[in-house]
Amino acid sequence: MNLAAFTQRLIALMLLALLAACAGAPPGPASRSSVTVEDGRRSAVVLSAMALLDSPYRYGGREPSTGFDCSGLVHYVFSQERSSSPIPRSSAEQAGASRRISRKQLRPGDLVFFNTLGRPNSHVGIYIGNKQFINAPSSGGRVRIDSMDNPYFAKRFETARTFFE
């Protein structure tokens, strides 16, 4: 395992531990910091995406057994979250069906869109927090964690959007 893969796995494990700790908090009086149903749904989306790290890229792919393209990954992950309504298959349609939010409003489970093919919203990833997102990057690649600060993605960032309230 190379250093980049090791680092991605370490980040994923740390995030999983953090999410598990949040999910296991004892119930208490309702307050602004209480864990909500929406937080649980967001965690389920992130955990589902994390489970697919290192899956192969495949153009048009939308299954773990055969691989994913970027929008196929998003479609599959959100279809695993049973309480989610079905979402469109293509990245452009996913952008059109979701609600625009500012980059500052990004929360785990939201979507980040990029212009990688000379057209808006041609690439999509699932935001996991700390300026990181999971995506199926390109032919020959694998599902991985990338940084919003990566010069390639920073230059091509298009919009942040959400399917959550």
Side-chain angles (χ1 to χ4, degrees):
M1 180 181 301
N2 65 30
L3 182 57
F6 175 78
T7 303
Q8 285 182 348
R9 294 229 186 250
L10 182 59
I11 290 169
L13 289 172
M14 290 179 352
L15 185 59
L16 287 172
L18 176 64
L19 290 171
C22 291
S31 70
R32 276 190 121 177
S33 63
S34 294
V35 175
T36 66
V37 172
E38 182 177 294
D39 291 334
R41 290 180 63 214
R42 287 175 176 277
S43 294
V45 165
V46 170
L47 290 171
S48 181
M50 292 270 192
L52 300 169
L53 283 172
D54 209 35
S55 297
Y57 176 90
R58 182 173 152 250
Y59 180 77
R62 56 185 178 174
E63 296 288 330
S65 60
T66 57
F68 296 99
D69 65 10
C70 65
S71 59
L73 174 69
V74 169
H75 185 268
Y76 180 84
V77 166
F78 276 85
S79 71
Q80 298 306 296
E81 170 44 44
R82 303 274 186 244
S83 56
S84 293
S85 300
I87 66 165
R89 172 62 179 87
S90 77
S91 59
E93 291 170 334
Q94 289 168 358
S98 53
R99 180 174 52 87
R100 185 183 193 113
I101 57 174
S102 74
R103 192 169 173 167
K104 291 179 182 177
Q105 293 174 299
L106 273 169
R107 294 179 53 206
D110 290 335
L111 303 178
V112 289
F113 290 87
F114 304 88
N115 180 337
T116 59
L117 299 174
R119 64 179 188 271
N121 308 318
S122 53
H123 185 68
V124 62
I126 300 170
Y127 188 74
I128 61 172
N130 199 30
K131 297 184 181 181
Q132 306 274 314
F133 64 100
I134 294 177
N135 70 125
S138 63
S139 186
R142 302 188 86 68
V143 174
R144 68 182 190 215
I145 296 171
D146 277 305
S147 172
M148 299 284 291
D149 292 335
N150 173 314
Y152 178 84
F153 288 110
K155 180 178 173 182
R156 291 166 175 81
F157 178 76
E158 189 77 30
T159 185
R161 305 189 75 83
T162 190
F163 285 116
F164 296 101
E165 299 276 326

